[in-house]
Amino acid sequence: MQSTRISKYSTLLYNSSKILALSSTYPVEIYTMFLLSLSNPGKIQFGTIMILSLIFSMFIDPFLGKIIDSFPRRRLIEMLQTISILFEMFSLLLWHFHMMQRVLVLSVLLIYINVSSSVYFDMMRALLQTISHQTAYLRMNGIAEASGQFPSLLGSAIAVPALLLIRPQGSLALAIIIQIISLLFISLIEENFKPVRSLRDKKIKHNGVLSMIRRYPKQTFLIYFLNFPFIMIIVGNLLKPIFIVNVIHGNVSDISFSEMDYAAFAALTGLAISMFPRGNELANSFIFFAIYIAALLLMPFSSNFIFFMIFQSLHGIGNPGTRINRNSFVMKHVRQ
């Protein structure tokens, strides 16, 4: 009974910290996307930001799994959030005292946010594995998806009033305060994790990447195939704001509504899966993947913002549904 209470307490802290951390920089991100989408040089710069973010993330990924398996996940998250707070403080100083151009400061900050968010998601997913039971992975991943999308909904909702009332610089200062509160919450989580002592241990070899591929070759191929939505999301993060501003002739509010639409349906999908979990995660992944692909093919033909929002809603169902089932399948077959 006591361990159940501890698990629920840790889960509450986990989701609260996650919501705060991910929603903190959203107003600044939306402002930066809108600013860069206004001009042709800005679009090129925006594309460069997304490419660099992807390259940095790909460079970090091979080392990240080893690091996550070798150190307490909570401590790693605390270190990452501390670095984020310091980076945001430094960016605010450069911007406030005009030490660098506003666009350059925001561009570097956006690259850092993209890369650190990818690392943060992996670390938080690993932490979830140590504070929940194996039988609850699908349900917990559904709840985690909802809590992970709520920041997009919350951050997008407050972006326009925040940018109007306290301006972009004030929004960045607010992000720093929210990150500090999130760091306090994560530090209170009780984690049941024993770091790996040696990567040469026979048991570890049995659970290694090559062993996993040999034992489940077909499943491994399918898992990598189902990671394609991640690549499409990266491209969509670049093209969607540009499409809204230049094709549909929208503004910063429309970008915010687009993000809110995706986040709302993603959160509802996560909650639905958590309340009504179904087996055969691999088959479910393909169903949600098909929904995502259908919306991807139809979205460029949007004649107005209403049609765009309809297809964005399908993205909000397909991508998280794929991710929840895929992650649940992997977590069941990869031991801590």
Side-chain angles (χ1 to χ4, degrees), residues 97-225:
F97 292 104
H98 305 287
M99 299 179 187
M100 291 175 59
Q101 291 184 349
R102 174 189 57 172
V103 175
L104 183 57
V105 172
L106 291 174
S107 297
V108 175
L109 179 60
L110 188 57
I111 292 174
Y112 175 79
I113 291 173
N114 289 338
V115 177
S116 63
S117 295
S118 176
V119 175
Y120 179 82
F121 269 111
D122 287 339
M123 289 181 176
M124 290 295 279
R125 184 165 57 245
L127 178 61
L128 179 65
Q129 195 173 3
T130 62
I131 63 175
S132 60
H133 193 269
Q134 181 176 354
T135 57
Y137 281 165
L138 185 60
R139 187 182 303 275
M140 292 298 297
N141 275 317
I143 296 174
E145 180 67 38
S147 68
Q149 294 298 335
F150 187 74
S152 300
L153 185 61
L154 178 63
S156 301
I158 67 174
V160 176
L163 293 172
L164 289 175
L165 296 176
I166 59 176
R167 314 297 292 176
Q169 285 190 23
S171 298
L172 183 55
L174 179 62
I176 296 170
I177 297 173
I178 296 175
Q179 281 274 14
I180 293 173
I181 299 174
S182 172
L183 178 59
L184 175 62
F185 283 170
I186 206 73
S187 66
L188 298 175
I189 290 180
E190 297 185 34
E191 179 187 9
N192 181 24
F193 174 74
K194 294 181 180 180
V196 173
R197 290 178 299 176
S198 172
L199 292 178
R200 296 181 180 180
D201 188 86
K202 292 182 179 180
K203 292 183 178 179
I204 298 170
K205 284 184 179 180
H206 182 70
N207 294 318
V209 175
L210 292 179
S211 176
M212 183 68 185
I213 293 175
R214 285 195 297 267
R215 293 170 62 196
Y216 303 101
K218 295 180 180 180
Q219 291 89 335
T220 302
F221 171 78
L222 293 176
I223 290 169
Y224 278 105
F225 177 75

Side-chain angles (χ1 to χ4, degrees), residues 16 31 53 114 126 135 137 139 162 180 206 243 258 275 294 315 320:
S16 299
Y31 173 74
S53 300
N114 289 338
T135 57
Y137 281 165
R139 187 182 303 275
I180 293 173
H206 182 70
F243 186 85
S258 171
M275 290 187 295
H315 273 185

Side-chain angles (χ1 to χ4, degrees), residues 230-260:
F230 170 76
I231 300 174
M232 299 171 187
I233 284 291
I234 294 295
V235 176
N237 289 340
L238 165 65
L239 296 181
K240 286 179 183 178
I242 295 176
F243 186 85
I244 291 173
V245 173
N246 293 273
V247 179
I248 309 180
H249 306 293
N251 52 33
V252 68
S253 299
D254 294 323
I255 296 177
S256 296
F257 288 137
S258 171
E259 297 293 330
M260 290 172 61

Side-chain angles (χ1 to χ4, degrees), residues 1 14 38 65 92 94 104 117 144 152 170 206 214 239 297 304 308 313 316:
M1 183 66 69
Y14 171 93
L38 289 174
L92 183 60
L94 291 177
L104 183 57
S117 295
S152 300
H206 182 70
R214 285 195 297 267
L239 296 181
L297 295 175
N304 54 54
F308 178 87
S313 301

